């Protein structure tokens, strides 16, 4: 059974940093691309970033480019999102999602809440 | 990276069919056959319902179907059931990025 468990969310001040993690199990993590998608409170889904299986290809939404860094450790079956220079508008539930099916988000974690507030 | 356009809400009675539209541009929906649809119940993570415009993942009822014409994709739910009441999001690959629709709230009357 595919399982994705996000962690690392919390309350941070504007301008601060946070590192999210996503622990994966139940599938061959190193074979598939992975993604971060976020959802602001009461709002819709927003794609944040994607990383290919070997980390060769990395993509970011314009809204986070230059501030967020996606990475993965295939030996640890883990996905990460380093978030710097956080803004109030980054407040959201952050989901990690698999990319087993090309160009779609097959499986999702339960999400971790990031709140940026002074 | 502009969001795809979906109606804010649709409704239907049990047993009826409803269609949710998703309009983009030739750079996203119209340019690739990589439209996907997600169902999200309150407080839950999204669930993949349709991928590659019209394919259903294992376990998704065949009451759910997808299609595309030009820059507009559609999700049709036939034989509406109470448990179909949820938010639905379309999503399209757009080359170096991915874009979601704003979401549609489906109410089963």
């Amino acid at each position: 059974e595919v399982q994705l468990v996000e962690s690392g969310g919390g309350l941070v001040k504007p301008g601060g940093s946070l590192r999210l993690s996503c622990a994966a199990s139940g599938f061959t993590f190193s074979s598939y691309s992975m993604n971060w998608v976020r959802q602001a409170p009461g709002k819709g889904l927003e794609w944040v970033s994607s990383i290919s299986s070997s980390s060769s290809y990395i993509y970011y939404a314009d809204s986070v480019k230059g501030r967020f860094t996606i990475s993965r450790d295939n030996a640890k079956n883990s996905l990460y999102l380093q978030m710097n220079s956080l803004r109030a508008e980054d407040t959201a539930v952050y989901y990690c999602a698999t990319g087993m099916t090309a160009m779609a988000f097959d499986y999702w974690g339960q999400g971790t809440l990031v709140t940026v507030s002074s | 990276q502009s969001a795809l356009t979906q109606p804010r809400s649709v409704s239907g009675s049990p047993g009826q069919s409803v269609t949710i539209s998703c309009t983009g541009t030739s750079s996203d929906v119209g340019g690739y056959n990589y439209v996907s649809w997600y169902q999200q119940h309150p407080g839950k993570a999204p669930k993949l319902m349709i991928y590659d415009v019209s394919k259903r993942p294992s376990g998704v009822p065949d009451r759910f179907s997808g299609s595309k014409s030009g820059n507009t994709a559609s999700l049709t739910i036939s034989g509406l059931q109470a448990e179909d009441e949820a938010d639905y999001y379309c999503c399209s690959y757009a080359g170096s990025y991915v874009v979601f629709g704003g979401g549609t709230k489906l109410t089963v009357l």
Side-chain angles (χ1 to χ4, degrees), chain A residues 39 47 59 61-62 101 105 108-109, chain B residues 1 38 40 45-46 51 89 97:
Chain A
Q39 186 171 35
W47 169 75
Y59 305 97
D62 285 348
T101 303
F105 307 119
W108 299 63
Chain B
Q1 299 183 1
Y38 302 86
Q40 187 179 35
Y51 68 97
Y89 295 91
Y97 65 94

Side-chain angles (χ1 to χ4, degrees), chain A residues 57-93:
Chain A
Y57 301 97
I58 289 175
Y59 305 97
Y60 298 99
D62 285 348
S63 58
V64 307
K65 201 173 293 184
R67 301 187 299 121
F68 290 12
T69 302
I70 191 173
S71 62
R72 64 189 295 163
D73 186 335
N74 287 343
K76 295 183 178 180
N77 288 350
S78 293
L79 174 71
Y80 307 102
L81 186 68
Q82 177 66 43
M83 303 185 297
N84 298 330
S85 303
L86 282 162
R87 307 165 179 167
E89 54 265 36
D90 295 319
T91 294
V93 173

Side-chain angles (χ1 to χ4, degrees), chain A residues 97-112:
Chain A
T98 62
M100 295 180 184
T101 303
M103 312 311 171
F105 307 119
D106 327 75
Y107 296 94
W108 299 63
Q110 84 290 348
T112 187

Side-chain angles (χ1 to χ4, degrees), chain B residues 22-77:
Chain B
C22 170
T23 301
T25 69
S26 58
S27 296
D28 38 62
V29 174
Y32 305 90
N33 287 323
Y34 291 131
V35 175
S36 51
W37 289 89
Y38 302 86
Q39 176 192 66
Q40 187 179 35
H41 288 108
K44 301 293 187 182
K47 175 186 176 184
L48 178 64
M49 304 301 285
I50 295 288
Y51 68 97
D52 292 357
V53 176
S54 59
K55 298 177 181 176
R56 276 188 313 276
S58 174
V60 172
D62 59 7
R63 303 185 295 104
F64 291 83
S65 63
S67 62
K68 189 186 85 167
S69 177
N71 296 336
T72 299
S74 299
L75 173 70
T76 298
I77 309 171

Side-chain angles (χ1 to χ4, degrees), chain A residues 2 4 11 15 21 25 33 35 37 41 52 54 60 66 68 70 84 90 92 96-97 108 113 116 118:
Chain A
V2 173
L4 300 169
L11 175 64
S21 298
S25 62
S33 63
N35 312 273
V37 177
S52 63
S54 61
Y60 298 99
F68 290 12
I70 191 173
N84 298 330
D90 295 319
C96 70
W108 299 63
L113 176 62
V116 184
S118 54

